[in-house]
Amino acid sequence: MSGALDPRTAPEFPIAAKAMLVDAQLRKNVRHATEVIQAKRARVVGEMPDWQALREAGRQVRSHTMENLDYYLEEFERNCTRAGGVVHWARDAEEARRIIVGLVKESGSDEVIKIKSMTTEEIQLNRALEAAGIHAYETDLAELIIQLGEDQPSHIVVPALHKNRQQIREIFKQKMGLAELGERPQDLADAARTFLREKFLRVKTGVSGANFLIAETGGVCIIESEGNGRMCLTLPETLITVAGIDKVLPRYQDLEVMLQLVPRSATGERMNPYNSIWTGVDRTHAPESGHGAPASVGDGPRVFHVVLMDNARTEILADEEARQTLNCVRCGACQNACPVYRQTGGHAYGSVYAGPIGAILTPQLQEMHHAQSLPYASSLCGACYEVCPVKINIPEVLIHLRNKVVEQKGVSAEALAMKMMGMIFLSERRFRAAQRLGRMAELPLVRKDGQGVGWIGWLPGMLGGWTQVRDLQEMPKETFRDWWEKRGNDGR
């Protein structure tokens, strides 16, 4: 993969977005894909008479979990350990990478097969594995496209959403060494299946993320649509799961709610084709069984590790207003509905978490030291809140984070300008003087259209941000107050 998306070094959103907006093919691909997913979602959600009640149930489950996170994490550790798993705790991305690389080396392997995982993308695990001489094979079709194309994911659920069929075909032909390849979806899927099957049968170590961790049982739940996840869970001898501490659910029964909400919101399906729940290791699954016969192959790992990673989630948890960010179930519905994301695609966000959820999650994962432009990457239209299956009020959190950015930056040119405007608006005399001055200042900038209406298409300096994407009409020659006074009124 090429250089991973890194919020610490990524350009500010307005700069990155401007570059994306000139890519007509990318915008067409993103628009088409999100429209298809939204239409499917609307259809299957419309079938549910209790959809709003389900959303509220999902919100309550997630909110309750976050309020008692320490208790449920400890319960998960106890039950996972009891089932034969080994739980590791990682304070940050660096510690998580170190633990995982060490576990892979301990397994004696220099290769791993991976299930699609935003968490491993978040900590740039592939780069760390490569630096340690370990090759990672992505097995999710979209992630495979991204890996072979040396690209970056642009969507939480559909990472290669910005690529069309012809572009994918060229990637496969080049990187798989195929002389001929059709462009039908079936042709592309068959090529990927052939390419990956050998990896599934040969590589002995798997790395996965987790959709949910179940505290009551110590189990890991993974939902996916292709079957590659099931292969990675059952065939490797060593399985390493890395998950954020926010992925925990209290009870097995909570999946009843989540497995209705997530697939409908994510891909417009009534349920995911593959729902796998893995709990520890099979007690009979050892190098030699108790009766001296070789252990069976394909029933699950001999060794199972779970890496629970914090990586600033505790800091988010401590912020009462922003805590709801951790309720996210990574369905990507907010991205599909967002008018900003639909124009720019995911790469403009400079993070594996793009769209509205990325705009609130990424800055907080950076403890507000980086990605400070992302909370402004929104029109605050509220479409993200309307489609969120667990009712995260993203616009509310965006405003909260904007306030944090302002507090961190202290006095700025914008803040001074706002104070000056406030002083002008406090006085009728100053307000009238500002109007007269404005009419004089705009004279060199006004251009008349065919109807004689004056427009301003360019403003200097920081004011130019207004005219980059819009024209301003010239100020009227007569204000309402002037007009009112000419009619013989005294203005009261």
Side-chain angles (χ1 to χ4, degrees), residues 103-114 134-137 139 196-208 231-240 285 295-305:
L103 292 174
V104 175
K105 288 184 174 180
E106 185 180 305
S107 73
S109 179
D110 60 0
E111 296 177 302
V112 298
I113 50 176
K114 287 184 65 196
I134 301 165
H135 189 81
Y137 298 103
T139 64
L196 289 173
R197 182 56 59 99
E198 182 266 340
K199 312 291 188 299
F200 286 134
L201 296 176
R202 177 174 54 80
V203 179
K204 300 300 183 183
T205 301
V207 175
S208 85
M231 300 284 274
C232 291
L233 287 170
T234 54
L235 292 177
E237 295 176 0
T238 299
L239 177 62
I240 304 165
H285 203 164
S296 59
V297 176
D299 294 330
R302 293 174 170 83
V303 181
F304 177 51
H305 297 272

Side-chain angles (χ1 to χ4, degrees), residues 7-8 362-373 405 408:
R8 296 169 299 178
T362 299
Q364 294 185 85
L365 292 178
Q366 300 298 315
E367 300 184 63
M368 302 305 295
H369 298 314
H370 306 283
Q372 293 183 341
S373 64
V405 171
Q408 282 189 353

Side-chain angles (χ1 to χ4, degrees), residues 136-347:
Y137 298 103
E138 298 288 354
T139 64
D140 174 83
L141 178 57
E143 286 287 354
L144 178 64
I145 293 166
I146 295 296
Q147 185 178 42
L148 294 180
E150 299 181 1
D151 199 353
Q152 301 298 334
S154 64
H155 191 279
I156 288 176
V157 177
V158 196
L161 166 139
H162 58 291
K163 296 290 188 185
N164 62 26
R165 216 181 305 166
Q166 290 71 32
Q167 292 170 318
I168 295 169
R169 175 174 175 267
E170 290 306 312
I171 291 171
F172 279 11
K173 282 184 66 178
Q174 180 182 352
K175 295 303 175 78
M176 294 181 183
L178 303 174
E180 296 294 332
L181 177 62
E183 61 179 41
R184 296 180 307 161
Q186 181 179 339
D187 298 329
L188 302 177
D190 287 344
R193 186 177 293 113
T194 301
F195 178 81
L196 289 173
R197 182 56 59 99
E198 182 266 340
K199 312 291 188 299
F200 286 134
L201 296 176
R202 177 174 54 80
V203 179
K204 300 300 183 183
T205 301
V207 175
S208 85
N211 290 98
F212 302 106
L213 306 171
I214 307 165
E216 183 180 43
T217 64
V220 175
C221 176
I222 293 173
I223 57 180
E224 38 106 8
S225 300
E226 299 170 19
N228 64 298
R230 185 70 57 83
M231 300 284 274
C232 291
L233 287 170
T234 54
L235 292 177
E237 295 176 0
T238 299
L239 177 62
I240 304 165
T241 293
V242 55
I245 57 174
D246 52 311
K247 292 298 184 70
V248 70
L249 289 178
R251 302 172 303 163
Y252 185 85
Q253 188 176 348
D254 294 327
L255 291 175
E256 177 187 357
V257 174
M258 295 304 167
L259 295 186
Q260 293 184 78
L261 287 170
V262 175
R264 286 180 167 84
S265 299
T267 55
E269 297 172 291
R270 294 180 181 87
M271 69 179 295
N272 287 94
Y274 295 90
N275 298 283
S276 303
I277 302 172
W278 197 261
T279 308
V281 296
D282 188 333
R283 292 299 184 183
T284 64
H285 203 164
E288 294 291 331
S289 71
H291 303 286
S296 59
V297 176
D299 294 330
R302 293 174 170 83
V303 181
F304 177 51
H305 297 272
V306 178
V307 180
L308 296 175
M309 185 185 68
D310 187 329
N311 204 30
R313 286 162 173 79
T314 297
E315 285 73 19
I316 300 175
L317 191 68
D319 185 335
E320 191 171 342
E321 290 188 65
R323 180 184 301 164
Q324 59 182 306
T325 306
L326 297 178
N327 292 352
C328 178
V329 292
R330 305 292 193 271
C331 69
C334 62
Q335 295 178 311
N336 302 327
C338 178
V340 177
Y341 173 87
R342 283 160 56 86
Q343 292 298 321
T344 67
H347 292 164

